[in-house]
């Protein structure tokens, strides 16, 4: 079989000109996308042009279209909004405007456009592409361009990236800016919760999103709101009484505050708007609660982009350039999008049509259809919210007589509490009795096990660390005592939330099944570790929060060098032997190098990095950032690297070092971690319920599970959430260094190097297949 691997070295952009523009509403992360397009374009030998002020700049031409240089996109990564400007443009909607735009592009030889914007901007780009040859003919006839020029520039290639905080575009799980907008919303909600708690108030919050309820829905999930109103799912008639009943029930349950989140486009069953004021009046009239309204407005668009948005935009920008290089005259305009954890290309017009169908379905009151069309990610969020928000009265609950224990194992990770809350509430809804184990397996063998009820986990989503308490103790040492506690409390299933220790613990329990029947029960593990070093999953609960802490600190450290010229920072990150935080943090913070255990390095590489930084200091960029994973090398310590850089850089730059330490483990969980923890815990509890029924022995009146598939890890693999038997993951694991043998994020390393101006080999075999949106959705069966 021929080798089908495709490398960046074989793709050349020589002689090509790429124009990059941002259009429509701004979104955090747009600058990261612009930076990636410019640097990747220059890297492959193409010329890249900024088109300032969106389509308006393209129509007006002149200084609005300027060639970009490598240095011109420096320091853009951490800036919100769009540095090259965006404008809504009436002129481009006219044929005359598009004709002027075509002339401006041809004069500069630009036939490749990278458009970062919403569905309107991308639809406009596609129309422009369809009209292109006709526009050139007109320009030839009017004598503004030569026949020869129209031949050379006969095809216009377009690649889109969706930059919109609303996440209202079909065909991608996340649009650039959505995660940052969620960060802003959650920051505000967390702040409001403290004041609401003090005064026993009800807060009604309006969030943006136009006709899409994604921001409202996910922020409601992430903060455990009492009620959410979104346009895709108008509340059923009589919702007013239902809502007021729920608010008063929560107050009776000793909850001192209520949060109601309203999407700005929220409507009722007859398509009438539901406003924040209407809800406030309703609560005051029916319940007499002290109620306040907060409209978040443009705060959601502002601020610095989150780590997720920077990485997403950087990956998309590089992918967009690859798509332009590979485009032929017949290639349809495509959008670079995210499916699960993978960058894919989808035909632009299929996405636009699907997006328009959602609106049509809503206008025609086909609301269930609208939710389905929004995609799996939206649908799963909605189903999880419904599962968790409506507490059923005991008579409505199925009664299972099963006992399920939940525990945290290993180091704390932000988002653990959100997972525990979700597991407890879904378990209760499924009819089980839920037990909480304090302090991991140490608490387990000591008998620190007690029933945990619905109200006990209220307000847990936003709390960092582990409220149950967590220890690194493995069960093997106390296996007989743990078996005894399983018997005493009649535990029929286990949910273990934690990192590498949790994985080892589950393997030990499975191993002990032959000696202790008590462990012949369904067991599920959820990966929760900032190091992201567990086999069987691309992402772990807590890693996103940690990345944001690293990126935020790196931004501040870089800023501290703006007054003092020529400074290089050596920053040490956590992660054990796993280089995930150093690599992905490096990509998000714009690092020049990241040293990790998985990619061995020697003194020659250190030397070439120093020389590279020396060259960089001769340009207008006069600062450097180097990340080092704590265990990347026994001998090349942080001190050694710091001293080497200091010595070799004498007279050119000076050095500072910083060990980030435990601040990477703390803090309130990011929206992504709250959401990820909530969703995978809900899915795990449903799996446990299924397995309990499957392994229940009617004749013996007990649960007996002894198969490999009754002890699983639930992880995210590329596009889907999958349950994998822990025994099968053994072969994929390096137990000495506590890391998986293969790690997907190593493919992002060349990306970081390219964006830092290093010549490197980059395998782009994964790229290039245009996927159709319907097929994409069918495959994406259980994406988050």
């Amino acid at each position: 079989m021929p080798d089908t691997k495709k490398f960046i070295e074989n793709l050349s952009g020589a002689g090509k000109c790429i124009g990059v523009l941002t259009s429509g509403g701004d979104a955090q992360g747009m600058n990261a996308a612009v930076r990636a397009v410019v640097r990747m374009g220059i890297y492959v030998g193409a010329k890249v042009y900024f088109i300032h002020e969106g389509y308006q700049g393209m129509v007006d031409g002149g200084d609005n279209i300027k060639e970009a240089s490598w240095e011109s996109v420096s320091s853009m990564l951490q800036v919100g909004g769009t540095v090259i400007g965006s404008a809504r443009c009436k002129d481009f909607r006219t044929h005359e405007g598009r004709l002027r735009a075509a002339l401006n592009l041809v004069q500069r030889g630009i036939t490749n456009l990278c458009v970062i914007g919403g569905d309107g901007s991308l639809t406009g780009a596609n129309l422009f592409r369809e009209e292109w040859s006709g526009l050139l003919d007109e320009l030839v006839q009017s004598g503004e361009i030569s026949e020869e020029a129209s031949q050379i520039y006969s095809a216009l290639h377009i690649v889109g990236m969706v930059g919109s905080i609303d996440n209202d575009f079909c065909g991608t799980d996340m649009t650039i800016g959505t995660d940052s907008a969620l960060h802003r919303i959650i920051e505000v909600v967390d702040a409001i919760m403290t004041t609401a708690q003090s005064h026993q108030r009800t807060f009604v919050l309006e969030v943006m999103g136009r006709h899409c309820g994604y921001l409202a829905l996910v922020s409601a999930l992430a903060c455990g709101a009492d009620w959410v109103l979104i346009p895709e799912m108008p509340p059923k008639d009589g919702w007013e009484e239902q809502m007021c009943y729920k608010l008063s029930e929560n107050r009776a349950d000793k909850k001192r505050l209520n949060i109601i989140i309203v999407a700005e486009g929220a409507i009722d069953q007859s398509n009438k708007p539901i406003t924040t004021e209407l809800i406030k009046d309703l609560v005051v009239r029916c319940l007499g609660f002290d109620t306040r309204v907060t409209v978040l407005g443009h705060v959601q668009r502002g601020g610095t982009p989150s780590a997720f948005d920077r990485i997403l935009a950087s990956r998309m920008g590089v992918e967009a350039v690859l798509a332009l290089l590979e485009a032929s005259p017949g290639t349809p305009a495509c959008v670079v999008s995210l499916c699960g954890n993978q960058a894919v290309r989808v035909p632009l017009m299929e996405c636009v049509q699907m997006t328009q169908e959602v609106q049509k379905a809503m206008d025609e009151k086909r609301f269930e259809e609208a939710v389905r069309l929004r995609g799996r990610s939206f649908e799963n969020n909605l189903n999880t919210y419904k599962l968790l928000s409506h507490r059923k009265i005991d008579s409505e609950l199925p009664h299972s007589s099963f006992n399920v224990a939940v525990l945290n194992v290993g180091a704390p990770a932000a988002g653990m509490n959100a997972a525990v809350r979700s597991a407890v509430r879904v378990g209760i809804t499924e009819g089980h009795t839920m037990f909480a184990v304090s302090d991991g397996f140490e608490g387990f063998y000591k008998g620190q096990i007690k029933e945990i009820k619905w109200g006990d986990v209220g307000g847990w989503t936003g709390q960092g660390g582990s409220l149950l308490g967590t220890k690194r103790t493995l069960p093997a040492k106390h296996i007989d005592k743990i078996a005894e506690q399983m018997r005493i409390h009649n535990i029929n299933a286990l949910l273990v939330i934690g990192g590498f220790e949790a994985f080892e613990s589950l393997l030990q329990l499975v191993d002990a099944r032959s000696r202790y029947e008590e462990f012949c029960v369904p067991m599920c593990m959820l990966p929760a570790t900032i190091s992201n070093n567990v086999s069987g999953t691309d992402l772990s609960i807590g890693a996103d929060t940690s990345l944001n802490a690293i990126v935020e600190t790196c931004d501040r450290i870089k800023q501290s060098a703006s007054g003092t010229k020529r400074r290089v920072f050596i920053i040490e990150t956590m992660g054990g032997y796993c280089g995930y935080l150093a690599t992905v943090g490096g990509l998000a913070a714009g690092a020049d190098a990241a040293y990790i255990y998985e990619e061995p390095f020697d003194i020659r590489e250190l030397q070439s990095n120093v020389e590279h930084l020396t060259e960089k200091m001769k340009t207008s960029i006069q600062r450097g950032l180097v990340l080092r994973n704590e265990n990347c090398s026994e001998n090349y310590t942080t001190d050694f690297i710091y001293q080497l850089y200091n010595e070799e850089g004498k007279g050119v730059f000076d050095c500072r070092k910083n060990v980030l330490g435990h601040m990477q483990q703390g803090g309130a969980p990011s929206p992504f971690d709250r959401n990820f923890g909530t969703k995978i815990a809900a899915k795990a509890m449903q799996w446990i319920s299924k397995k309990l029924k499957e392994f229940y022995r009617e004749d013996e009146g007990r649960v007996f599970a002894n198969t490999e598939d009754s002890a699983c890890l639930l992880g995210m693999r590329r596009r889907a959430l999958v349950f994998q038997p822990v025994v099968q993951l053994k072969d994929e694991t390096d137990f000495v260094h506590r890391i998986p043998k293969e790690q997907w994020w190593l493919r992002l390393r060349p990306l970081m190097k390219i964006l830092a101006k290093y010549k490197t080999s980059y395998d782009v075999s994964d790229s290039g297949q245009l996927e159709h949106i319907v097929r994409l959705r069918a495959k994406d069966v259980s994406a988050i």
Side-chain angles (χ1 to χ4, degrees):
M1 196 180 141
D3 186 21
T4 52
K5 276 200 179 294
K6 202 168 53 169
F7 288 94
I8 188 78
E9 300 90 299
N10 309 329
L11 291 172
S12 170
K16 294 194 172 179
C17 293
I18 300 170
V20 59
L21 68 141
T22 52
S23 173
D26 68 314
Q28 307 97 321
M30 277 182 165
N31 290 324
V34 170
R35 171 181 177 266
V37 170
V38 169
R39 291 198 166 172
M40 187 65 173
I42 293 171
Y43 182 85
V44 295
K47 274 187 172 183
V48 187
Y49 288 85
F50 289 135
I51 300 173
H52 290 272
E53 311 306 334
Y55 288 118
Q56 192 65 54
M58 202 194 289
V59 173
D60 295 343
D63 275 350
N64 288 307
I65 306 176
K66 274 189 190 147
E67 192 176 343
S69 67
W70 192 275
E71 287 80 30
S72 62
V73 290
S74 172
S75 305
M76 270 171 86
L77 198 56
Q78 62 268 34
V79 181
T82 164
V83 170
I84 57 173
S86 178
R88 312 224 181 243
C89 175
K90 287 199 182 103
D91 294 348
F92 195 74
R93 292 186 182 156
T94 66
H95 182 77
E96 183 53 45
R98 291 192 293 276
L99 192 65
R100 274 169 34 220
L103 175 63
N104 287 326
L105 294 188
V106 171
Q107 282 171 345
R108 292 162 179 82
I110 301 171
T111 54
N112 297 284
L113 275 188
C114 183
V115 182
I116 307 160
D119 58 341
S121 309
L122 298 177
T123 312
N126 192 59
L127 173 66
F128 191 40
R129 179 184 156 275
E130 284 169 355
E131 289 182 353
W132 184 255
S133 56
L135 294 170
L136 292 198
D137 290 344
E138 281 183 55
L139 292 170
V140 170
Q141 280 163 11
S142 63
E144 287 177 270
I145 64 168
S146 66
E147 182 66 52
E148 189 190 357
S150 84
Q151 294 302 312
I152 298 170
Y153 307 122
S154 59
L156 178 69
H157 304 298
I158 283 176
V159 174
M161 282 184 268
V162 193
S164 158
I165 65 163
D166 305 336
N167 205 22
D168 58 353
F169 194 79
C170 295
T172 184
D173 284 355
M174 282 291 256
T175 58
I176 295 166
T178 307
D179 187 65
S180 301
L182 284 170
H183 272 259
R184 293 305 91 80
I185 295 168
I186 293 305
E187 282 159 18
V188 170
V189 174
D190 285 354
I192 277 174
M193 277 181 157
T194 56
T195 170
Q197 200 122 24
S198 308
H199 297 276
Q200 297 200 40
R201 281 187 176 140
T202 296
F203 269 85
V204 185
L205 300 174
E206 180 184 293
V207 300
M208 277 179 158
R210 235 177 4 168
H211 309 299
C212 177
Y214 185 89
L215 288 179
L217 177 58
V218 175
S219 49
L221 248 187
C223 71
D226 297 286
W227 201 266
V228 66
L229 292 147
I230 58 170
E232 293 86 350
M233 215 58 206
K236 299 205 162 43
D237 292 338
W239 63 272
E240 295 93 340
E241 291 81 32
Q242 240 183 321
M243 184 183 79
C244 290
Y245 173 72
K246 183 165 182 220
L247 297 181
S248 60
E249 194 185 35
N250 283 352
R251 280 292 169 92
D253 227 0
K254 304 199 172 53
K255 192 176 173 193
R256 293 176 60 87
L257 77 156
N258 302 110
I259 300 278
I260 302 164
I261 294 182
V262 190
E264 62 182 348
I267 47 172
D268 63 14
Q269 290 281 344
S270 47
N271 279 10
K272 281 202 196 84
I274 298 175
T275 64
T276 46
E277 285 302 324
L278 181 124
I279 290 169
K280 178 188 168 177
D281 295 344
L282 178 72
V283 174
V284 171
R285 192 174 69 246
C286 297
L287 301 169
F289 288 173
D290 185 359
T291 307
R292 298 282 191 275
V293 169
T294 302
V295 177
L296 268 65
H298 282 73
V299 164
Q300 295 158 87
R301 274 196 201 284
T304 181
S306 65
F308 182 95
D309 273 331
R310 296 182 198 196
I311 295 151
L312 174 69
S314 300
R315 284 176 74 182
M316 302 289 126
V318 167
E319 185 72 24
V321 173
L322 295 177
L324 287 171
L325 291 184
E326 292 170 5
S328 60
T331 313
C334 75
V335 170
V336 179
S337 74
L338 180 78
C339 181
N341 188 26
Q342 226 180 331
V344 291
R345 301 176 195 172
V346 280
L348 189 147
M349 284 324 284
E350 280 184 24
C351 297
V352 169
Q353 276 152 12
M354 185 89 124
T355 305
Q356 287 166 349
E357 273 178 46
V358 178
Q359 193 51 51
K360 196 170 167 228
M362 281 159 65
D363 292 342
E364 292 170 5
K365 299 186 186 177
R366 290 181 286 116
F367 296 111
E368 275 175 28
E369 174 78 351
V371 168
R372 201 179 57 72
L373 288 168
R374 278 267 183 243
R376 294 299 305 178
S377 174
F378 189 91
E379 212 171 341
N380 284 342
N381 280 317
L382 189 58
N383 291 338
T384 309
Y385 179 78
K386 285 179 183 168
L387 253 183
L388 292 170
S389 61
H390 297 296
R391 179 180 183 174
K392 292 178 177 169
I393 46 176
D394 289 344
S395 58
E396 291 178 318
L397 290 172
H399 189 63
S400 75
S401 73
F402 291 126
N403 296 340
V404 182
V406 185
L407 66 157
N408 293 155
V409 177
M416 276 181 163
N417 299 322
V420 172
R421 168 187 178 266
S422 173
V424 166
R425 291 194 170 178
V426 173
I428 291 169
T429 306
E430 300 266 316
H432 311 314
T433 304
M434 298 300 295
F435 285 86
V437 182
S438 302
D439 298 337
F441 284 105
E442 195 165 308
F444 212 131
Y445 89 82
K446 290 177 181 168
Q448 295 169 0
I449 303 165
K450 61 176 199 302
E451 190 182 341
I452 186 164
K453 295 208 155 62
W454 186 282
D456 298 336
V457 289
W460 277 32
T461 36
Q463 307 256 11
S466 162
L467 291 169
L468 284 185
T470 181
K471 288 264 171 35
R472 293 177 185 268
T473 314
L474 297 177
K477 241 172 44 185
H478 311 284
I479 202 84
D480 49 342
K481 287 185 178 166
I482 292 170
E484 191 188 334
Q485 290 298 333
M486 294 277 288
R487 199 166 51 250
I488 292 168
H489 294 278
N490 188 23
I491 303 294
N492 309 114
L494 275 184
L495 179 66
V496 183
I497 303 165
F500 203 85
E501 287 91 354
F503 175 58
E504 288 180 300
S505 300
L506 230 59
L507 285 170
Q508 290 180 359
L509 295 179
V510 170
D511 190 48
R513 279 175 167 178
S514 55
R515 304 189 307 282
Y516 301 93
E517 282 200 348
E518 288 83 352
F519 300 123
C520 295
V521 296
M523 303 181 201
C524 186
M525 175 199 159
L526 301 180
T529 162
I530 67 164
S531 307
N532 198 26
N533 63 332
V534 179
S535 297
T537 188
D538 290 354
L539 298 168
S540 305
I541 298 165
D544 183 70
T545 305
S546 189
L547 273 180
N548 278 294
I550 291 168
V551 167
E552 210 173 294
T553 310
C554 286
D555 285 353
R556 289 184 182 188
I557 288 171
K558 274 164 79 175
Q559 200 173 32
S560 76
S562 58
T564 52
K565 294 292 175 215
R566 303 204 181 119
R567 181 163 284 178
V568 174
F569 291 95
I570 317 288
I571 294 175
E572 183 188 298
T573 66
M574 279 175 142
Y577 283 95
C578 179
Y580 175 81
L581 290 178
T583 298
V584 183
L587 181 61
D592 294 281
Y595 300 119
I596 61 168
Y597 167 77
E598 293 88 343
E599 204 174 89
F601 57 98
D602 56 19
I603 196 74
R604 284 180 295 280
E605 187 169 339
L606 288 168
Q607 183 61 35
S608 87
N609 291 154
V610 172
E611 286 164 8
H612 188 271
L613 277 166
T614 308
E615 280 307 300
K616 180 179 170 178
M617 295 296 171
K618 291 176 184 168
T619 68
S620 56
I621 317 169
Q622 299 193 335
R623 60 163 184 253
L625 185 66
V626 175
L627 267 59
R628 179 192 173 274
N629 160 263
E630 58 184 352
N631 287 351
C632 69
S633 163
E634 210 177 321
N635 297 312
Y636 297 137
T637 61
T638 303
D639 279 333
F640 176 90
I641 292 174
Y642 162 69
Q643 284 161 357
L644 176 85
Y645 272 70
N646 231 347
E647 185 60 37
E648 295 294 316
K650 255 190 190 154
V652 183
F653 57 78
D654 66 350
C655 270
R656 293 287 184 275
K657 67 172 185 208
N658 212 305
V659 177
L660 298 184
H662 280 74
M663 54 84 68
Q664 295 161 84
Q665 232 173 45
S670 67
F672 182 90
D673 279 333
R674 296 180 191 199
N675 219 357
F676 186 50
T678 299
K679 279 196 278 193
I680 65 171
K683 201 174 173 69
M685 280 312 301
Q686 289 171 321
W687 177 85
I688 284 174
S689 296
K690 199 174 96 207
K691 292 289 171 193
L692 283 168
K693 288 191 189 93
E694 195 181 307
F695 292 112
Y696 183 67
R697 293 185 172 179
E698 218 43 86
D699 48 340
E700 298 172 37
R702 66 173 182 143
V703 174
F704 186 84
N706 202 13
T707 54
E708 277 190 3
D709 71 347
S710 64
C712 283
L713 178 146
L714 172 57
M716 185 180 176
R717 280 264 165 114
R718 287 172 89 107
R719 299 190 177 187
L721 287 172
V722 271
F723 289 94
Q724 302 143 97
V726 284
V727 177
Q728 290 173 20
L729 293 173
K730 249 168 124 167
D731 296 340
E732 296 179 23
T733 309
D734 168 354
F735 284 93
V736 178
H737 298 100
R738 300 159 58 91
I739 52 173
K741 288 178 184 168
E742 278 190 27
Q743 314 210 61
W744 70 272
W745 51 264
L746 284 169
R747 295 200 305 273
L748 296 181
R749 280 187 71 77
L751 214 89
M752 187 191 83
K753 290 177 182 173
I754 286 168
L755 296 176
K757 215 175 186 174
Y758 282 94
K759 286 279 171 231
T760 185
S761 180
Y762 181 32
D763 180 358
V764 291
S765 319
D766 253 5
S767 313
Q769 274 57 55
L770 196 65
E771 302 205 2
H772 292 285
I773 196 166
V774 183
R775 192 167 69 82
L776 182 123
R777 282 213 49 242
K779 243 200 246 175
D780 183 23
V781 180
S782 58
I784 60 166

